[in-house]
Amino acid sequence: MAMNELEAQVRGANPLNDVLFKYLFVSNPNKENLLRLLNDVLGPERRIVDVEYLDRENDPRRFGGRTSFLDVLARSEDGCIFHVEVQLLDEGYFFERVTYYAACTLSDQLSKNDDYDCLRPVLFVSILRFELFPDRPETWRSIHRILDVENLQCYSKLLEFQFFELPKLKRLFEAGRLERAEETGLERLLRYLGRIGGDAEMERLVKQDPGIRQLRKGEQSFFRTPGNLASYRMRERAETDYRNAFKNAKARAEAQGMAQGMAQGMAQGMAQGMAQVARRMLTMNFTPEQISQATELSLDEVDALRRG
């Protein structure tokens, strides 16, 4: 890929694309990007110096339980466990889902002979491309802990949820309600990931912030690697298909007044969209591993499509 073509691809890229986001924050060569994100979230008083990546696809310990799938799952040197997830659409019950995931991570820490003082905190970081709390239009960052309802004191640090609503951040930035003099590293990072502010603003962030400059280099490396551009485009197509299926299912469910129909329609639309993308990738001679990464289908499901 020529340099000018590469730069154009990077400028137009969506860092929240699942394939690109995981490359930037999950691959070991880019661990510094994850440390930057987590330290911006934690603040200087809780700074961490290293993390180890954990298995992002956890099988349930309880028979018949739900499996959890996360964008990033890591543990810091003090044992704190971090979930990071990007959510593009409001599919309903999001807070309930992340609470379940965090609770599973908490309960899975103890073996038979362990005491409760072995439990380490779980911090769930959610980057959202929708508004989770529409009743708070001026607040793009929400922090949730277990608090006493009378004195608002937190007596347990085992569970913490932080939500970052990019549409609110974008609206406040475009309205001139964010002071550049008070700009934080977290705000800069999230605006870069959400491409909030246009090309000129993105270039300013790259020049001003070394961590964001490192992200830009990671994007360049991603698109230089053979096969990644196709995987990226396939994932974008799958997400477009899913958004359309989601919209159509929601419209049908609203017309019919059937919530169950909506859920079934969304699931069917998502499955059909991913299967179509996988079939296209098979005809282009992608490996089963590449197809699984781009579509999140299992290797068995990819093999079944190939044999079918």
Side-chain angles (χ1 to χ4, degrees):
M1 184 181 293
M3 182 56 69
N4 58 346
E5 184 182 355
L6 174 65
E7 290 304 316
Q9 183 65 54
V10 170
R11 284 195 300 272
N14 170 23
L16 299 181
N17 173 287
D18 187 70
V19 177
L20 179 53
F21 185 84
K22 288 175 180 174
Y23 178 87
L24 293 174
F25 291 96
V26 180
S27 59
N28 273 306
N30 292 318
K31 186 189 288 186
E32 288 299 319
N33 294 334
L34 178 60
L35 283 170
R36 157 65 189 273
L37 171 61
L38 295 179
N39 279 319
D40 280 353
V41 169
L42 291 169
E45 69 281 358
R46 294 194 287 173
R47 186 173 180 80
I48 58 176
V49 298
D50 195 18
V51 292
E52 63 170 322
Y53 291 112
L54 304 174
D55 184 7
R56 293 179 292 112
E57 299 183 4
N58 292 323
D59 291 328
R61 292 190 177 186
R62 177 173 56 82
F63 179 75
R66 294 181 64 90
T67 302
S68 61
F69 298 90
L70 302 160
D71 292 332
V72 182
L73 183 61
R75 178 168 50 217
S76 61
E77 69 277 4
D78 63 356
C80 182
I81 298 176
F82 300 92
H83 295 243
V84 181
E85 183 169 1
V86 174
Q87 183 72 16
L88 303 181
L89 291 175
D90 182 5
E91 302 172 357
Y93 300 104
F94 181 74
F95 208 150
E96 288 80 0
R97 179 160 67 85
V98 299
T99 303
Y100 173 80
Y101 284 178
C104 287
T105 299
L106 189 66
S107 65
D108 286 348
Q109 292 181 41
L110 295 186
S111 298
K112 182 177 180 180
N113 297 320
D114 290 336
D115 293 328
Y116 293 114
D117 60 354
C118 296
L119 289 171
R120 309 310 303 162
V122 177
L123 173 58
F124 207 111
V125 177
S126 300
I127 302 173
L128 309 177
R129 212 162 64 179
F130 64 93
E131 295 190 17
L132 182 61
F133 306 108
D135 59 322
R136 304 177 66 193
E138 305 294 312
T139 304
W140 57 269
R141 178 184 188 178
S142 301
I143 302 175
H144 301 255
R145 302 183 182 120
I146 300 175
L147 302 178
D148 185 290
V149 296
E150 291 188 3
N151 61 17
L152 301 183
Q153 293 297 307
C154 178
Y155 296 102
S156 172
K157 298 181 180 180
L158 288 178
L159 289 176
E160 179 176 327
F161 304 88
Q162 297 209 25
F163 301 96
F164 302 100
E165 300 169 87
L166 296 185
K168 293 180 181 179
L169 182 61
K170 181 176 187 292
R171 186 168 62 246
L172 292 170
F173 177 80
E174 292 177 345
R177 312 240 340 241
L178 300 176
E179 295 293 335
R180 183 168 294 183
E182 300 175 0
E183 185 178 72
T184 65
L186 178 61
E187 180 190 320
R188 288 195 298 270
L189 178 59
L190 290 174
R191 286 203 290 108
Y192 183 79
L193 292 176
R195 292 298 196 255
I196 296 172
D199 289 345
E201 179 64 13
M202 296 303 100
E203 295 306 316
R204 182 189 75 83
L205 293 175
V206 169
K207 291 178 181 179
Q208 176 182 341
D209 191 313
I212 293 178
R213 190 155 55 246
Q214 185 66 27
L215 271 179
R216 172 64 64 87
K217 291 179 181 178
E219 291 174 286
Q220 293 169 340
S221 174
F222 175 85
F223 287 111
R224 284 196 194 100
T225 303
N228 280 352
L229 176 58
S231 295
Y232 171 89
R233 288 176 173 169
M234 288 293 181
R235 187 62 192 181
E236 287 287 283
R237 177 65 181 271
E239 289 175 358
T240 299
D241 290 346
Y242 181 50
R243 283 195 299 272
N244 288 334
F246 182 90
K247 185 187 300 182
N248 292 335
K250 185 176 181 180
R252 289 197 301 269
E254 289 176 348
Q256 298 172 359
M258 297 172 58
Q260 183 179 3
M262 175 181 169
Q264 291 175 346
M266 286 189 298
Q268 292 171 359
M270 181 62 170
Q272 292 170 359
M274 290 301 184
Q276 290 172 0
V277 171
R279 290 191 184 96
R280 286 196 292 269
M281 295 182 75
L282 284 169
T283 64
M284 298 168 66
N285 296 321
F286 280 87
T287 67
E289 290 76 14
Q290 289 173 320
I291 297 172
S292 178
Q293 179 187 33
T295 63
E296 295 189 351
L297 295 175
S298 69
L299 290 175
D300 288 341
E301 290 170 326
V302 173
D303 185 58
L305 290 173
R306 180 183 60 80
R307 288 186 283 103

